[in-house]
Amino acid sequence: MGRMEEKQGTMVPALMPQQNPLEQLQSKFKEVENGFRAWLAKQSLPVEAAVVTTTGAVQGAAIGALMGTLTNDVSSSLPTPPQASMNPQAMASFKQAQALSGGPLVQARNFAVMTGVNAGISCVMKRLRGKEDVQSSMAAAFGSGAMFSLVSGMGGPNQAANAVTSGLFFALVQGGLFQLGQKFSQPPVEDVNYSRTKFMLNSLGLQNYEKNFKKGLLTDSTLPLLTDSALRDVKIPPGPRLLILDHIHRDPTLREKQRHRG
């Protein structure tokens, strides 16, 4: 209940701030996760690869079991046609449909192999190469795609060729996703030629005219040279032009550069 405080001869409970239980749970989980990763980083490569592969397989099995439950074992409702009346390509397509619509146990096995192999190869490649890049990601995707094809029975009569094809497909998709993620995750590069100009415009509340400066190539080095006509040429209205020129006139550094150039 918290400690008691005396106030005017009476005992009143001190109000203690209560932390959100969800935040407590998230904080505890993050602490455990960081501790596990720190422990894992100290292990040898075989131990780390085995642990990562196992955890990846467990996660994949849970996802596969859930998907198999949602599909309600559609494969059991598919009638098995007589193999004699079907050509090899049709039979291979039928087996692929069965593999992708299996029940919880089948999908748990398939996804456990796929995610476990992917996690294990990624771990080994990262430890050996010292980095995680598109090549490592594509190699892991190729292995997981090939193993998924073999385990799920999607290969049909020519399992080896289909495993290679599936691996290549997985690798290409993963490579594209990796590059796309890298592109959107990288912060925009700050243009050093406009850093002082950007600061000036932000301080004046005129940041919307930054594009006008860049369009006219009015970089930081041109600030001491700015005139009303130069700002007019880049389509900046009269009011903002006056504020910019007044700021340049009041700035001691820019004013000194103007004096030296004059």
Side-chain angles (χ1 to χ4, degrees):
M1 293 294 296
R3 63 186 179 88
M4 304 292 289
E5 291 184 352
E6 186 175 355
K7 185 177 182 180
Q8 296 180 350
T10 60
M11 301 296 290
V12 295
L15 297 178
M16 301 295 291
Q18 294 184 353
Q19 189 177 2
N20 190 333
L22 182 59
E23 293 180 354
Q24 290 180 334
L25 183 62
Q26 291 176 341
S27 177
K28 189 65 177 177
F29 178 78
K30 194 68 176 178
E31 182 181 347
V32 173
E33 182 183 13
N34 292 337
F36 175 74
R37 289 185 177 181
W39 171 84
L40 194 61
K42 300 176 182 178
Q43 307 306 310
S44 62
L45 176 58
V47 174
E48 182 182 8
V51 173
V52 170
T53 301
T54 302
T55 54
V58 171
Q59 293 175 355
I63 296 174
L66 178 62
M67 291 184 61
T69 303
L70 295 177
T71 57
N72 198 22
D73 199 3
V74 180
S75 62
S76 61
S77 63
L78 295 175
T80 304
Q83 298 187 11
S85 62
M86 297 185 65
N87 58 48
Q89 291 183 348
M91 180 57 68
S93 300
F94 177 76
K95 288 183 176 296
Q96 290 178 1
Q98 284 185 320
L100 295 175
S101 60
L105 293 179
V106 174
Q107 294 290 14
R109 177 201 63 190
N110 296 346
F111 277 81
V113 171
M114 181 176 65
T115 57
V117 171
N118 189 291
I121 296 178
S122 296
C123 172
V124 173
M125 295 291 289
K126 184 177 180 180
R127 177 71 77 92
L128 293 178
R129 304 181 74 236
K131 60 181 179 179
E132 186 176 359
D133 54 11
V134 64
Q135 287 84 1
S136 299
S137 182
M138 291 180 68
F142 177 86
S144 62
M147 289 302 300
F148 178 81
S149 175
L150 293 173
V151 173
S152 63
M154 293 177 56
N158 195 349
Q159 292 189 358
N162 193 272
V164 174
T165 303
S166 299
L168 290 175
F169 175 76
F170 274 56
L172 290 175
V173 172
Q174 182 63 28
L177 293 176
F178 187 93
Q179 295 285 50
L180 195 63
Q182 288 287 98
K183 179 179 179 180
F184 285 101
S185 64
Q186 291 178 350
V189 180
E190 189 72 23
D191 195 338
V192 295
N193 294 322
Y194 294 92
S195 58
R196 184 158 192 167
T197 301
K198 184 176 182 179
F199 177 80
M200 176 190 69
L201 294 174
N202 287 336
S203 64
L204 296 174
L206 303 175
Q207 56 271 17
N208 291 336
Y209 296 105
E210 182 181 351
K211 59 181 181 298
N212 300 66
F213 274 76
K214 291 184 176 181
K215 187 176 181 180
L217 300 179
L218 299 178
T219 61
D220 292 348
S221 60
T222 66
L223 288 179
L225 306 174
L226 283 182
T227 60
D228 185 80
S229 60
L231 295 174
R232 189 188 308 115
D233 289 341
V234 294
K235 304 295 189 300
I236 296 180
R241 292 204 304 266
L242 292 174
L243 292 175
I244 292 170
L245 293 174
D246 180 68
H247 176 86
I248 295 174
H249 178 72
R250 293 174 180 272
D251 190 295
T253 304
L254 296 176
R255 190 168 63 245
E256 185 67 23
K257 290 184 178 180
Q258 285 178 331
R259 187 178 298 113
H260 283 303
R261 291 178 183 274

